[in-house]
């Protein structure tokens, strides 16, 4: 076993312990992890897209916006999360539109990092069903990621998106999706003692979105000629490299919950309840 592979394994174990420990604890511990993830994602996004040199004011507003969203995730209320995010993104869009030297990567980064904070925290929440919902998302994303890699290497075949990520294949994508659905079904059965058509459909959607998230980050890195989003995780690269699929799956779960609740004329009180009680 090479030294690099050993480093990757050790880093992965440490990360899993920290994330799963915070997920089990819930409450402030998990919200702090969410806030840290959001801040680190914005830091890497800023570095990749060179916001420090492309935005008037040295990206001060971007950092202020994400810090406010992260602070509300830890100390504030969920009711303020979406209004804060929307207000910050809208302000960044106006700053960009009225500044000829502005860049749309600024509001994009605030949206990406801010929604990462908000969606993760909203899914976990502070109750048992939130824990089950978060573990369900983990199972789908990790099942997708692991099997997509091994099936793609074993079978190969036509490329999924050769201009964005030459290593990904359709066989890997299909195998990963199947694995994500199976992992989600197992997680649902373990938590609720049953597997419904809704669970299968939701696992399928989250698996697809996790792969879209992976492709999205690959697109950004290729667009700016970057191999890794950062170097903070030994053997793995940056935080965005590790959470790209997870945050997109969380985006999908959170936004689906908001959308369905709005269609029914109600108020979203628990993303976890939405995911499991249908």
């Amino acid at each position: 076993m090479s030294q690099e592979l050993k480093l990757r394994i050790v880093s992965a174990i440490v990360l899993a312990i920290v994330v799963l420990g915070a997920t089990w604890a819930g409450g402030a511990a998990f919200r702090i992890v969410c806030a840290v993830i959001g801040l680190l994602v914005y830091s890497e996004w800023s570095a990749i897209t060179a916001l420090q040199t492309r935005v008037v004011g040295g990206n001060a507003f971007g950092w202020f916006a994400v810090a406010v969203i992260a602070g509300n995730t830890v100390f504030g209320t969920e009711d303020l999360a979406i209004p804060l995010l929307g207000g910050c993104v809208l302000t960044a869009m106006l700053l960009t539109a009225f500044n000829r030297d502005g860049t749309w990567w600024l509001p994009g980064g605030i949206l990406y990092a801010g929604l990462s904070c908000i969606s993760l925290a909203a899914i976990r929440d502070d109750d048992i069903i939130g824990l089950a919902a978060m573990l369900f998302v983990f199972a789908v994303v990790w099942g997708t990621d692991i099997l997509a890699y091994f099936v793609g290497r074993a079978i190969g075949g036509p490329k999924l998106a050769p201009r964005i990520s030459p290593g990904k294949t359709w066989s890997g994508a299909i195998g990963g999706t199947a694995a994500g659905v199976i992992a989600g079904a197992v997680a649902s059965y373990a938590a609720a003692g049953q597997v419904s058509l809704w669970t299968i459909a939701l696992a399928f959607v989250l698996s697809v979105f996790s792969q879209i998230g992976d492709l999205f980050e690959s697109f950004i890195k290729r667009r700016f000629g970057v191999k890794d989003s950062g170097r903070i995780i030994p053997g793995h690269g940056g935080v965005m490299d590790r959470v790209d699929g997870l945050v997109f799956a969380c985006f999908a779960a959170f936004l689906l919950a908001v959308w369905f609740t709005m269609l029914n004329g109600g108020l979203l009180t628990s993303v976890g309840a939405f995911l499991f009680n249908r």
Side-chain angles (χ1 to χ4, degrees):
M1 184 182 294
S2 68
Q3 189 64 31
E4 182 180 356
L5 181 56
K6 290 180 181 178
L7 185 61
R8 287 177 64 87
I9 292 173
V10 171
S11 296
I13 292 172
V14 172
L15 282 172
I17 291 172
V18 171
V19 172
L20 291 175
T23 302
W24 180 265
F30 190 78
R31 292 195 294 272
I32 289 171
V33 169
C34 295
V36 170
I37 287 174
L39 291 168
L40 290 174
V41 163
Y42 189 74
S43 175
E44 293 176 359
W45 179 289
S46 300
I48 292 171
T49 60
L51 290 183
Q52 187 69 24
T53 59
R54 301 174 67 183
V55 177
V56 174
N59 194 23
F61 177 75
W63 274 112
F64 170 77
V66 176
V68 168
I69 294 167
N72 182 71
T73 300
V74 179
F75 303 107
T77 64
E78 290 183 8
D79 294 340
L80 287 176
I82 292 300
L84 272 177
L85 176 64
C88 289
V89 172
L90 179 59
T91 302
M93 292 175 68
L94 292 173
L95 290 173
T96 300
F98 289 102
N99 178 10
R100 66 179 184 178
D101 296 324
T103 171
W104 293 102
W105 293 105
L106 173 62
I110 295 172
L111 178 63
Y112 188 81
L115 198 53
S116 297
C117 273
I118 293 169
S119 60
L120 278 162
I123 292 171
R124 174 59 184 92
D125 206 353
D126 289 329
D127 54 15
I128 295 298
I129 198 168
L131 172 62
M134 195 71 255
L135 293 177
F136 170 79
V137 175
F138 284 157
V140 172
V141 173
W142 292 344
T144 299
D145 190 42
I146 294 170
L147 264 293
Y149 175 79
F150 285 108
V151 172
R153 286 179 64 89
I155 298 177
K159 301 298 183 181
L160 178 63
R163 293 187 178 182
I164 298 175
S165 185
K168 291 180 174 58
T169 62
W170 277 103
S171 63
I174 294 170
T177 301
V181 170
I182 293 171
V186 171
S188 178
Y189 187 80
Q194 62 179 3
V195 180
S196 65
L197 288 177
W198 166 254
T199 301
I200 299 299
L202 182 62
F204 176 83
V205 170
L206 298 190
S207 178
V208 170
F209 267 84
S210 74
Q211 295 184 70
I212 292 173
D214 194 352
L215 289 173
F216 176 70
E217 202 224 354
S218 295
F219 162 74
I220 294 174
K221 291 191 294 186
R222 184 167 289 272
R223 167 69 173 75
F224 290 95
V226 175
K227 182 179 183 296
D228 295 319
S229 65
R231 298 181 180 178
I232 193 171
I233 305 174
H236 289 267
V239 172
M240 285 177 62
D241 293 322
R242 294 299 91 206
V243 303
D244 48 6
L246 174 63
V247 295
F248 256 67
C250 289
F251 295 168
F254 177 69
L255 294 176
L256 277 172
V258 171
W259 183 50
F260 272 85
T261 303
M262 290 176 63
L263 285 179
N264 293 327
L267 294 174
L268 181 64
T269 57
S270 171
V271 177
F274 165 80
L275 296 180
F276 276 101
N277 293 346
R278 295 186 70 82

